[in-house]
Amino acid sequence: MDEALLRSLTPQVLAVLVRRGADFAAAEDAVQDALVEALRVWPADRPRDPKGWLVTVAWRKFLDATRADAARRRREDIADEEPPPGPAPAVDDTLRLHFLCAHPSLTPSSAIALTLRAVGGLTTRQIARAYLVPEATMAQRISRAKRTVAGARFDRPGDVTTVLRVLYLIFNEGYSGDIDLAAEAVRLTRQLAARADHPEVAGLLALMLLHHARRASRSAPDGSLVPLAEQDRGRWDTAAIAEGVAILQAALARDRLGEYQAQAAVAALHADAPTAAETDWVQIVEWYDELVRLTDSPVVRLNRAVAVGEADGPRAGLAALAALDASLPRHTAVAAHLHERDGDLVTAARLYAEAAGKASDLAERDHLIRRAARLNTRLRR
Amino acid sequence: MAKYLLLKHYRGAPDPVNNVPMDRWTPEEISAHMRYMNDFAARLEESGEFVDGQALAPEGMWVRHDGEGRPPVTDGPFAETKDLIAGWMVIDVDSRERAVELAGELSAAPGAGGKPIHEWLEVRPFLAASSAATECH
């Protein structure tokens, strides 16, 4: 029980130290020391105010470390000017940590690692396992990230879109095992949504919930991919869908549309359909038009071509596809799908096999090669 | 114990006996093949002989340093002109014979018509790290 409490308090304590002027790496070391102390002392003597206790101990550890190092005199000056340690203020600084961890000077992989560590409170070992890299590699990545933000100004307003991008990247990794990154991303985005009043934060949270709700039906027991149209809708998490839709509606009502809200709107239309055949593709195309306007992204245009193919027929989809760069990822797979729906099975089979050769994702590659095999088998009969 | 690398080729290896491209198999044949590969890895995990295995994307590049301050030379992803590794598995086994036995088993994965593919696998021993206990005289 204490472990869960400590995990939720860690980012808050860290944020207090950083706000008081400790640099990120030194603050993190001090917080780790305080956590070790807590695990030692708390079982016998549990403080009434755990957060205040941790802040006091961590701050003392930080001062000790700073004083012990004469070369760090500059930081000591900062420390002297700061108010003495006492009860932790009621304000929650986790939001600032979110922004610091998504600092633009960090590479995406560093920003992700630092966010999971500092905001999520995960251990280096857990993050390494989740990303399937050796622990030493992840430890290096994190300490390099800490060095990068060491001099970063903490009062910098920050750009919420960078924070959202990092959270979305974490969500899309989605490994399961010791740590389920998709679930972790939902948790962190919830945290952010509780603190930052921004329709796009709500939009991303809704998007994640709506995607997450369909997760169990997305793969067969043997691990192979099940496309949306063939998923067992009875296995969708209706509570998560309802929550996602409600969050999205509240965000849309504020009339400050952004790309995450628009993407969530598409996901909500899929989640709303009782069967694949009843999907409101016309409205989905309209949302993709909004997305094209907001992002002008080629990937969005590609998804739009799929939606057009469903709303206005495969020929219309192929016409929309023809306007796009053929080297786009999944372009060939989409072309294969549209040709299949148009009844040109020979072309579809050839394109599925070609798309399988280009797939970067193993499950997707297997899925595409199976599609090609299925069509070729039908054509032989 | 010694580690061996088993390499599966997209091309570059000699033609297997049952050489039919995968998109010409039936979906059931593909499932049977996947199941065989997964079961094989699971069995080696069970016996403590599995180290790691990954599938590789077909595209790859040859890259070379071209001198200080100059961008590296690359030949671009001209996949169709060269040998390609499709994936690899590292096993840790007691003997060379065991490595050969396992590679033979892996090569017999079912393919078109439910018959074994008899594909060629490249088997390469790892150079052992020098050990303090090694006798060198």
Side-chain angles (χ1 to χ4, degrees):
Chain A
M1 186 210 116
D2 270 355
E3 205 179 307
L5 177 69
L6 286 176
R7 191 174 146 189
S8 71
L9 289 177
T10 303
Q12 301 177 36
V13 175
L14 178 61
V16 171
L17 263 63
V18 174
R19 183 166 49 80
R20 284 186 183 173
D23 88 25
F24 194 88
E28 244 243 328
D29 288 346
V31 172
Q32 290 307 316
D33 287 346
L35 291 176
V36 170
E37 190 85 3
L39 289 172
R40 198 173 58 80
V41 175
W42 286 14
D45 182 17
R46 176 90 185 269
R48 253 179 312 164
D49 174 8
K51 184 180 166 187
W53 188 97
L54 278 173
V55 169
T56 306
V57 174
W59 187 248
R60 201 188 313 126
K61 299 270 182 198
F62 166 71
L63 291 182
D64 288 349
T66 308
R67 291 201 185 100
D69 188 353
R72 296 187 175 183
R73 181 157 297 279
R74 191 182 58 81
R75 288 197 204 109
E76 198 170 20
D77 293 341
I78 298 170
D80 284 342
E81 290 163 14
E82 286 297 318
V91 330
D92 189 349
D93 297 292
T94 311
L95 188 56
R96 295 177 176 214
L97 267 194
H98 267 291
F99 282 101
L100 184 64
C101 293
H103 199 274
S105 60
L106 293 170
T107 62
S109 72
S110 303
I112 287 168
L114 201 59
T115 301
L116 289 171
R117 174 103 170 109
V119 190
L122 299 185
T123 64
T124 305
R125 171 183 297 211
Q126 286 172 317
I127 303 170
R129 282 216 192 127
Y131 277 91
L132 312 173
V133 300
E135 194 175 341
T137 304
M138 190 50 79
Q140 259 315 105
R141 214 179 275 178
I142 292 170
S143 62
R144 210 178 319 131
K146 282 198 255 179
R147 278 199 302 276
T148 306
V149 296
R153 299 268 306 178
F154 192 52
D155 52 4
R156 188 184 143 278
D159 180 3
V160 77
T161 58
T162 318
V163 177
L164 295 179
R165 186 177 51 94
V166 169
L167 291 171
Y168 199 31
L169 285 172
I170 296 173
F171 181 78
N172 281 326
E173 291 292 342
Y175 292 113
S176 60
D178 190 16
I179 290 293
D180 176 343
L181 287 170
E184 185 62 23
V186 172
R187 190 177 77 81
L188 294 178
T189 308
R190 258 187 212 292
Q191 206 182 75
L192 183 67
R195 293 170 170 96
D197 182 30
H198 193 294
E200 274 293 85
V201 178
L204 180 62
L205 180 57
L207 177 62
M208 286 180 179
L209 287 168
L210 288 164
H211 275 313
H212 208 51
R214 298 199 298 252
R215 193 178 184 195
S217 59
R218 227 175 273 160
S219 54
D222 66 356
S224 64
L225 208 130
V226 183
L228 183 58
E230 291 161 29
Q231 286 172 16
D232 174 2
R233 289 170 190 238
R235 295 179 64 204
W236 288 2
D237 178 349
T238 46
I241 290 174
E243 192 194 353
V245 168
I247 292 171
L248 173 66
Q249 280 169 345
L252 289 174
R254 297 174 62 182
D255 207 21
R256 277 166 61 204
L257 189 63
E259 55 175 311
Y260 292 116
Q261 293 170 78
Q263 277 193 66
V266 172
L269 285 167
H270 284 302
D272 249 8
T275 64
E278 289 168 83
T279 308
D280 187 349
W281 286 105
V282 174
Q283 237 199 103
I284 289 178
V285 172
E286 285 168 10
W287 279 112
Y288 274 122
D289 289 338
E290 289 285 356
L291 269 169
V292 167
R293 189 177 59 75
L294 288 163
T295 65
D296 197 30
S297 138
V299 174
V300 167
R301 286 177 194 273
L302 190 69
N303 288 329
R304 186 183 167 277
V306 177
V308 168
E310 299 292 339
D312 304 332
R315 294 284 169 89
L318 284 167
L321 193 65
L324 302 175
D325 184 350
S327 68
L328 274 170
R330 290 188 53 244
H331 187 284
T332 312
V334 170
H337 171 72
L338 290 169
H339 279 292
E340 182 184 354
R341 288 202 58 238
D342 194 34
D344 183 356
L345 304 191
V346 177
T347 307
R350 179 177 56 76
L351 290 173
Y352 274 129
E354 194 185 316
K358 291 179 186 167
S360 59
D361 172 277
L362 199 55
E364 192 182 322
R365 178 172 96 188
D366 291 349
H367 171 71
L368 292 167
I369 202 79
R370 275 173 209 273
R371 291 259 137 173
R374 189 174 45 86
L375 291 186
N376 281 324
T377 308
R378 254 171 77 187
L379 287 165
R380 274 203 301 273
R381 282 188 187 132
Chain B
M1 299 290 275
K3 289 197 179 65
Y4 286 83
L5 177 64
L6 310 185
L7 290 177
K8 195 180 162 78
H9 292 253
Y10 278 112
R11 47 185 161 262
D15 276 347
V17 176
N18 186 10
N19 191 16
V20 180
M22 219 181 208
D23 64 297
R24 301 281 149 180
W25 303 4
T26 67
E28 296 73 36
E29 284 161 6
I30 295 179
S31 293
H33 179 81
M34 302 290 185
R35 207 172 323 114
Y36 186 96
M37 307 294 277
N38 291 340
D39 290 351
F40 181 80
R43 228 165 346 103
L44 292 191
E45 257 175 55
E46 197 69 23
S47 66
E49 293 173 308
F50 181 83
V51 177
D52 202 357
Q54 297 280 332
L56 297 175
E59 73 272 13
M61 292 166 285
W62 288 96
V63 178
R64 195 193 70 196
H65 175 65
D66 197 35
E68 215 51 63
R70 302 172 67 175
V73 178
T74 132
D75 74 337
F78 306 130
E80 55 286 343
T81 61
K82 58 197 177 202
D83 295 0
L84 277 175
I85 307 296
W88 51 270
M89 186 184 282
V90 176
I91 54 175
D92 195 359
V93 291
D94 281 326
S95 64
R96 187 175 176 277
E97 288 67 33
R98 177 67 178 155
V100 169
E101 182 190 336
L102 289 175
E105 210 180 300
L106 192 58
S107 154
K115 296 190 199 70
I117 344 178
H118 299 286
E119 71 181 329
W120 287 96
L121 291 170
E122 197 178 348
V123 179
R124 305 273 302 269
F126 278 60
L127 288 173
S130 62
S131 140
T134 304
E135 303 272 348
C136 45
H137 43 71

